[in-house]
Amino acid sequence: MASQLAIHRLNKFLREKEELDAVAAAKIDKLIAELQRPGNHHFDPVQRIIDGFMDFKIHKFDKCPYLFDQLALGQWPKFLVFGCSDSRVSPSIILNFKPGEAFMVRNIASLVPAFDQLRYSGTGAIIEYAVTHLHVENILVIGHSSCGGIKRLMEHPEDGSVPFDFIDDWVNIAVEAKNKVKAQGKGNDACAREAVNVSLENLLTYPYVRKASSERKLAVRGGYYDFVNGVFELWEKHDSHISPPMIIPSHPINST
Amino acid sequence: MAVLAPSSSSYHIQSISSAIFGSKLQSGEIQQTRLRLFTNSNYPGLTIKASAESLGLTQKMKSNKLERVVETEDGSELFEDMKHRFLSFKKNKYLENLEHYQNLAKGQSPKFLVIGCADSRVCPSTILGFQPGEAFMVRNIANLVPPFESGPSETNAALEFSVNTLEVKNILVVGHSCCGGIRALMSMNDEVDKSSFIQSWVVNGKDARSWTKAAASKLSFDQQCKHCEKESVNRSLLNLLTYPWIEEKVKKGIVSVHGGYYDFVDCTFEKWTLDYKEDNLKEKHGRISVKNQLRWS
């Protein structure tokens, strides 16, 4: 599989440079096709890392010395964000979080297990640190469409496959969501939204989250990113209810 | 992660990120960056730069630049801001490259699994420019990989999915400077306080701590932490090999395992690749053998 970055830039170039003659445009088109052909391009992971870091250093780090000087001293993020590990749903990209803004967890299906001092210390450590040390003011849990972890939850063990050592244990955190949506006759994406709500409930089982939330120092919100239709939903968890979702955009944006 | 933990009496930096990058953007200081096509010829050379700066944790408090935050925003303002960010992403990235996003909606085949720290300053998407579809990502405290025998956890569920189902070809563990998780590891007693999730988690890095205390005992605590930050990456690489299905793929050359270290004080990135030779691990008593070690600045 070829360089996503190169293809993205070449496509953008083709769209923007209307004055390109037919010969040049055809050559670029051919190059894009060759880059996209599976197995036809040698992928160098080290070069990819070099390119990525130098791009960041030249265009971001070196251009913002004041910001990065301050961040070298510490961080004061306003958000704790739970996002899925899925390569398509980085919260930094879809919600444009800049360095210093969001303490971020990425795990399968962006799940939050309930408070349990004997298990899942990884998640517990993150919540403990973010709430009691960094004093974040917002927690945001983001689910998404076509989630592989949710798919596994919904289909196993009905699909008869051999259990995974670790995945099945993990995604069963959201089994309540699965049971609810199956009873309603709904599918995977509904389960992904409902799993966010299970995680929001689980967040409130952590004593420091509950305390900060009741003192109105911490807001707990859920989000759902639909990357099929390019839509983001956002809602808030209150003690007794969940707010209706804000849909972004509220009306279709025309493609360019 | 923060070494200086804010308290109610400390000064906070006024929301610098949102002031510089958000709707109050002043065009002089920062410009919206657009990605440009890079080749190696754009870099005059990847030079080795000796860092002249210390970690500078205590010497750089420029009190005239720090301002107390007055919390005037209510939640709805913050989420109006989020709405604008998403719409900006949709307009400038999603719709600009609709065909690519439509292909991604059908499935992902990332080339990387990246394990990074949850620290707000070290998002791998930002510092290494990973675009949608490129990297399956795990972020946890101190970018630790617990060993196979520790049992099910959030991190190894992601390992299983990315290696066995998505079949990523590269695993990259990225450590960083001034890591609060590593500092907590270096500060704790041998006995874990079970009521602390942080201690229960960072103890996964205890071998790195033991090695650091033995090898770097004459250095200052801050310098020991820096050593431990890098050593814990190596320990995590070794822990990856405790998963039989990972070791098998590394042995066959199907998966490559890399370590990285991002120093955000002087903006350098070091990278190395695990040189897997089964005998090496036994001879060196668990010490890692690396190749292709580079440092970029």
Side-chain angles (χ1 to χ4, degrees):
Chain A
M1 196 162 161
S3 165
Q4 310 271 10
L5 204 55
I7 294 171
H8 164 78
R9 289 165 179 166
L10 285 168
N11 272 320
K12 192 166 189 291
F13 182 76
L14 266 185
R15 277 193 306 274
E16 287 174 355
K17 300 291 174 195
E18 292 168 359
E19 68 273 21
L20 270 183
D21 68 22
V23 172
K27 282 187 175 170
I28 292 175
D29 218 16
K30 187 179 172 197
L31 178 58
I32 292 172
E34 280 174 5
L35 286 172
Q36 286 176 324
R37 201 171 305 139
N40 209 20
H41 182 261
H42 174 63
F43 175 74
D44 183 346
V46 174
Q47 190 60 47
R48 173 61 191 83
I49 296 168
I50 294 174
D51 289 346
F53 183 69
M54 292 310 295
D55 189 290
F56 161 72
K57 180 168 167 70
I58 292 168
H59 295 289
K60 291 180 185 171
F61 192 95
D62 289 345
K63 289 195 170 174
C64 312
Y66 177 71
L67 169 65
F68 285 99
D69 275 353
Q70 299 302 316
L71 289 179
L73 300 173
Q75 56 168 338
W76 293 266
K78 283 198 185 328
F79 288 91
L80 163 61
V81 176
F82 284 83
C84 184
S85 296
D86 191 302
S87 64
R88 300 166 284 188
V89 303
S90 166
S92 299
I93 293 184
I94 64 174
L95 296 176
N96 205 20
F97 285 116
K98 294 292 189 265
E101 288 196 288
F103 200 72
M104 202 176 293
V105 183
R106 305 267 308 264
N107 66 36
I108 298 256
S110 49
L111 295 174
V112 181
F115 180 83
D116 180 348
Q117 285 192 303
L118 299 178
R119 297 199 74 186
Y120 302 126
S121 59
T123 304
I126 280 165
I127 297 172
E128 186 180 325
Y129 193 81
V131 176
T132 68
H133 287 64
L134 296 179
H135 302 289
V136 296
E137 297 161 5
N138 300 276
I139 303 182
L140 173 61
V141 179
I142 306 173
H144 72 94
S145 51
S146 309
C147 179
I150 295 295
K151 183 172 190 282
R152 178 69 188 175
L153 170 69
M154 289 288 277
E155 292 176 359
H156 184 72
E158 287 81 17
D159 66 356
S161 57
V162 174
F164 283 107
D165 286 336
F166 302 119
I167 297 173
D168 294 327
D169 179 271
W170 175 252
V171 298
N172 270 317
I173 288 169
V175 69
E176 196 184 311
K178 168 182 171 173
N179 294 340
K180 182 173 177 183
V181 304
K182 284 212 175 213
Q184 294 169 344
K186 294 180 181 170
N188 293 358
D189 287 348
C191 184
R193 283 185 182 83
E194 200 50 45
V196 171
N197 289 332
V198 169
S199 290
L200 299 184
E201 285 284 346
N202 286 345
L203 274 168
L204 292 173
T205 64
Y206 291 75
Y208 19 86
V209 174
R210 203 164 51 243
K211 181 172 186 293
S213 173
S214 66
E215 290 173 0
R216 296 185 131 20
K217 291 177 182 169
L218 178 65
V220 173
R221 291 184 175 91
Y224 180 81
Y225 170 42
D226 173 354
F227 55 59
V228 179
N229 299 303
V231 174
F232 192 89
E233 297 170 35
L234 183 63
W235 61 95
E236 186 164 352
K237 167 90 181 127
H238 300 281
D239 288 336
S240 55
H241 68 281
I242 291 172
S243 70
M246 175 198 285
I247 314 286
I248 313 163
S250 53
H251 55 272
I253 296 176
N254 292 332
S255 310
T256 52
Chain B
M1 292 189 351
V3 175
L4 306 172
S7 68
S8 58
S9 62
S10 69
Y11 284 90
H12 292 248
I13 294 172
Q14 184 181 14
S15 200
I16 291 170
S17 292
S18 62
I20 291 175
F21 291 107
S23 55
K24 298 173 205 160
L25 177 66
Q26 299 300 315
S27 61
E29 192 162 2
I30 307 297
Q31 292 163 21
Q32 278 281 338
T33 58
R34 296 284 181 206
L35 295 173
R36 297 202 191 93
L37 195 59
F38 271 113
T39 62
N40 259 334
S41 61
N42 283 353
Y43 316 137
L46 297 172
T47 57
I48 303 294
K49 178 186 167 201
S51 171
E53 291 185 11
S54 70
L55 289 174
L57 295 169
T58 53
Q59 70 193 40
K60 283 191 180 176
M61 292 295 281
K62 300 167 190 162
S63 57
N64 60 333
K65 296 229 168 118
L66 297 175
E67 298 165 29
R68 181 179 288 280
V69 162
V70 176
E71 183 55 51
T72 55
E73 299 181 293
D74 64 17
S76 59
E77 254 185 58
L78 203 59
F79 281 86
E80 272 301 303
D81 180 51
M82 189 161 289
K83 173 182 150 185
H84 289 301
R85 288 164 191 244
F86 181 73
L87 291 176
S88 171
F89 157 73
K90 178 156 186 170
K91 183 165 175 259
N92 298 320
K93 292 192 178 172
Y94 185 93
L95 291 174
E96 283 280 305
N97 209 10
L98 192 58
E99 195 182 328
H100 176 53
Y101 278 91
Q102 284 170 340
N103 286 335
L104 283 181
K106 295 172 194 160
Q108 55 168 335
S109 51
K111 294 209 162 33
F112 284 94
L113 161 64
V114 177
I115 298 164
C117 185
D119 190 303
S120 65
R121 299 166 285 186
V122 303
C123 175
S125 299
T126 301
I127 63 173
L128 297 176
F130 287 114
Q131 297 303 301
E134 289 196 291
F136 197 79
M137 210 169 290
V138 173
R139 290 180 70 184
N140 64 36
I141 298 245
N143 43 270
L144 293 168
V145 176
F148 178 77
E149 51 270 18
S150 63
S153 73
E154 46 276 82
T155 297
N156 48 32
L159 286 181
E160 190 171 30
F161 187 76
S162 58
V163 175
N164 290 345
T165 301
L166 296 181
E167 297 182 334
V168 295
K169 299 286 185 281
N170 297 279
I171 305 177
L172 171 65
V173 179
V174 183
H176 72 96
S177 52
C178 311
C179 182
I182 295 297
R183 198 169 186 89
L185 170 66
M186 291 295 288
S187 305
M188 63 188 262
N189 299 324
D190 290 338
E191 191 76 27
V192 174
D193 173 4
K194 293 270 193 239
S195 69
S196 165
F197 277 126
I198 295 174
Q199 288 198 13
S200 301
W201 172 251
V202 299
V203 77
N204 280 307
K206 65 180 187 314
D207 288 345
R209 184 178 74 163
S210 304
W211 180 87
T212 299
K213 284 194 184 291
S217 56
K218 294 195 177 1
L219 299 180
S220 70
F221 184 69
D222 286 346
Q223 289 167 322
Q224 287 184 19
C225 286
K226 195 172 178 94
H227 276 272
C228 192
E229 283 157 5
K230 294 184 186 179
E231 183 58 25
S232 87
V233 171
N234 288 335
R235 292 292 158 166
S236 287
L237 301 188
L238 285 174
N239 283 348
L240 284 169
L241 297 179
T242 63
Y243 294 82
W245 23 273
I246 295 183
E247 191 189 14
E248 194 189 334
K249 293 192 177 197
V250 171
K251 203 192 275 191
K252 289 180 181 170
I254 298 171
V255 168
S256 298
V257 168
H258 315 271
Y261 182 80
Y262 168 46
D263 185 333
F264 53 60
V265 180
D266 59 5
C267 197
T268 56
F269 194 92
E270 292 174 53
K271 160 265 137 200
W272 57 96
T273 299
L274 176 71
D275 189 9
Y276 179 82
K277 293 183 182 95
E278 203 170 352
D279 295 339
N280 261 353
L281 291 176
K282 291 175 192 152
E283 279 168 20
K284 290 172 186 276
H285 306 292
R287 299 295 301 140
I288 192 172
S289 192
V290 302
K291 58 185 181 184
N292 304 334
Q293 198 160 2
L294 297 171
R295 186 166 182 260
W296 313 317
S297 63

